[in-house]
Amino acid sequence: DTSGKGLKVTVVGGSGFVGSRVCKILVDCGADVTSVSKSGQAPKWASGQDWTGAVDWKAVDLLGGDEAALDAALGSPDAVVSTVGVVGTDLDVLLKGNGDTNAAAFASCKRKGVSRIAYVSVAEEVAACQENWLPEFFSGYFDGKAIAEAAALEALGGDSSKLCLVKPTFIYGGDSFELLPPRVTYDYGSGIEQLLSFGLIKIVADITPGLIKVALRPPVSVDSVASACAAAALGKETANGKVLDGTKAINGATDQPDATGLSEAFEWTKEGKHNQVLQLGQGKN
């Protein structure tokens, strides 16, 4: 696919879990890709992969206050994707890591005259839990996300038709389980996504409150989130200028296949039992 040919895209947070996959998709689409991150390096999961050689990996501290260095790292892109964000229990760290970092990046976008922005924020149903369901320190996370969204819109002169907000609940992917940030593997997450997408569970989720509702919503794969960001950066109608709130909206903006983890698990179980029966039968002969 060469739909990105001739386009320059900078991915802020391009060394991270989501951002690195955005970089890969954009490279595969033929775009000229720059990654801006604190490390300035390709992620370990992509070590040795050809696409990493096509990305210009730039290191910069978004909280360093050096506008000239940030502007130089950002380059002169047609579009910018920011996947920058942090989790934790320190309110100030959450506010700076989600708000100030992105505000600095989007201020650079404004100085550079960037024409499109995609930003990975947080689902509205998750944000709605902050008042009565979550500890006080979480306000730093949600306030930071709100600051970032406002800064992105301001960078585009208030033109929401040039801004895509990708708002997932829980993102899964990769091949390992992690605690901070909380993460489950592709296989496990795909099974949960398929299970929680069933109609009956959706009906129950719709009528339950707060965190219970969020827990019953299907998670979204990192590939879907990255694909939605890339689609917005490339100016595709499915994502550009859209608010993609929740798994269904994010998946709908991409060409990612439906989650099949649960079906595959059932098939694997059936196949395993079938093989066991065959082995037992052979043993009696």
Side-chain angles (χ1 to χ4, degrees), residues 126-136 142 209-211:
V126 178
C129 294
Q130 64 178 304
E131 244 180 73
N132 301 312
W133 292 80
L134 294 170
E136 187 177 350
F142 296 114
L211 279 179

Side-chain angles (χ1 to χ4, degrees), residues 174-189:
D175 56 9
S176 63
F177 290 87
E178 295 183 28
L179 184 60
L180 282 176
R183 193 167 294 148
V184 300
T185 64
Y186 272 115
D187 291 341
Y188 186 88

Side-chain angles (χ1 to χ4, degrees), residues 10 34 36 56 58-60 66-77 108 111-112:
T10 296
T34 297
V36 173
D56 187 4
K58 298 284 186 69
V60 69
D66 188 338
E67 291 184 358
L70 177 53
D71 289 352
L74 196 77
S76 299
S108 181
R111 292 190 294 271
K112 289 287 190 171

Side-chain angles (χ1 to χ4, degrees), residues 34-257:
T34 297
S35 165
V36 173
S37 66
K38 197 167 187 178
S39 72
Q41 297 178 349
K44 290 182 180 179
W45 72 264
S47 178
Q49 296 189 18
D50 291 344
W51 68 268
T52 60
V55 177
D56 187 4
W57 303 94
K58 298 284 186 69
V60 69
D61 182 0
L62 293 173
L63 294 176
D66 188 338
E67 291 184 358
L70 177 53
D71 289 352
L74 196 77
S76 299
D78 301 293
V80 166
V81 176
S82 177
T83 63
V84 172
V86 300
V87 296
T89 58
D90 186 299
L91 189 152
D92 188 54
V93 169
L94 290 171
L95 190 61
K96 289 180 178 178
N98 293 287
D100 294 355
T101 50
N102 282 295
F106 294 140
S108 181
C109 291
K110 186 175 183 178
R111 292 190 294 271
K112 289 287 190 171
V114 171
S115 59
R116 284 191 300 278
I117 292 175
Y119 169 58
V120 179
S121 187
V122 61
E124 292 294 338
E125 287 185 342
V126 178
C129 294
Q130 64 178 304
E131 244 180 73
N132 301 312
W133 292 80
L134 294 170
E136 187 177 350
F137 66 80
F138 269 100
S139 65
Y141 177 82
F142 296 114
D143 289 347
K145 291 291 188 183
I147 288 169
E149 289 184 18
L153 186 59
E154 182 183 350
L156 295 167
D159 188 349
S160 60
S161 70
K162 298 178 180 179
L163 173 63
C164 176
L165 296 176
V166 182
K167 310 186 86 166
T169 50
F170 180 84
I171 304 174
Y172 68 85
D175 56 9
S176 63
F177 290 87
E178 295 183 28
L179 184 60
L180 282 176
R183 193 167 294 148
V184 300
T185 64
Y186 272 115
D187 291 341
Y188 186 88
S190 179
I192 298 299
E193 180 181 354
Q194 186 180 6
L195 174 65
L196 297 183
S197 295
F198 291 153
L200 180 59
I201 295 179
K202 181 182 181 302
I203 291 170
V204 173
D206 286 343
I207 61 175
T208 53
L211 279 179
I212 303 172
K213 179 192 294 289
V214 172
L216 290 174
R217 293 302 190 201
V220 62
S221 77
V222 64
D223 287 339
S224 284
V225 175
S227 292
C229 291
L234 297 172
K236 294 185 178 181
E237 291 183 4
T238 55
N240 189 39
K242 301 288 197 305
V243 176
L244 304 176
D245 189 11
T247 298
K248 184 177 180 180
I250 294 169
N251 287 342
T254 75
D255 56 3
Q256 292 295 309

Side-chain angles (χ1 to χ4, degrees), residues 19-40:
S20 56
R21 288 165 172 86
V22 177
C23 289
K24 181 182 185 302
I25 293 169
L26 289 170
V27 167
D28 290 344
C29 288
D32 183 356
V33 182
T34 297
S35 165
V36 173
S37 66
K38 197 167 187 178
S39 72

